Amino acid sequence: MMNDNVLAQLAEVLESRKQAEPDSSYVAKLYAKGLDAILKKIGEEATETVMAAKDGEKDKIVYEVADLWFHTLVLLAQQGLHPDAVLEELARRFGVSGLVEKASRTH
């Protein structure tokens, strides 16, 4: 897979898993369990990412961030969102001071 297409390709696969039987794939099973199960996985992966960073092992950090991103993509798909929405938000923020962006938030 080419890096610039990975998010779009993953989004397609994750979308297709919505129609799959829960016992046919990990993602289909996660969808069947619902939002709380997906959020729990994101929390677990975030914690594992933090622990990997504390250990300072670069390969482990990359592995755990990949897990975290993957489960976040599952959440986006479950909520009817595409990764492009996040990329557009990041693009919107590009070149804007982090302090200015944070101050402009209403929530």
Side-chain angles (χ1 to χ4, degrees):
M1 281 189 211
M2 297 187 70
N3 287 339
D4 58 346
N5 293 324
V6 170
L7 289 179
Q9 291 172 343
L10 266 173
E12 284 181 34
V13 170
L14 295 176
E15 195 62 34
S16 73
R17 295 295 193 266
K18 288 181 177 181
Q19 311 307 320
E21 292 296 319
D23 60 353
S24 68
S25 81
Y26 169 75
V27 172
K29 186 178 291 189
L30 203 50
Y31 285 145
K33 289 181 180 179
L35 181 60
D36 285 347
I38 295 168
L39 296 175
K40 181 178 177 186
K41 282 303 296 180
I42 291 172
E44 290 171 6
E45 299 304 342
T47 300
E48 290 171 5
T49 299
V50 169
M51 292 174 8
K54 292 290 270 181
D55 291 343
E57 295 178 37
K58 293 186 185 311
D59 289 346
K60 194 172 177 184
I61 294 167
V62 169
Y63 182 89
E64 295 302 342
V65 169
D67 280 352
L68 177 58
W69 285 12
F70 177 82
H71 287 89
T72 308
L73 290 168
V74 171
L75 171 66
L76 288 173
Q78 192 266 348
Q79 294 289 306
L81 296 166
H82 192 275
D84 285 347
V86 177
L87 295 174
E88 289 168 11
E89 176 60 16
L90 289 172
R92 183 190 68 78
R93 294 180 189 185
F94 196 81
V96 175
S97 160
L99 295 175
V100 171
E101 193 283 325
K102 189 171 183 176
S104 72
R105 294 182 196 172
T106 57
H107 51 279

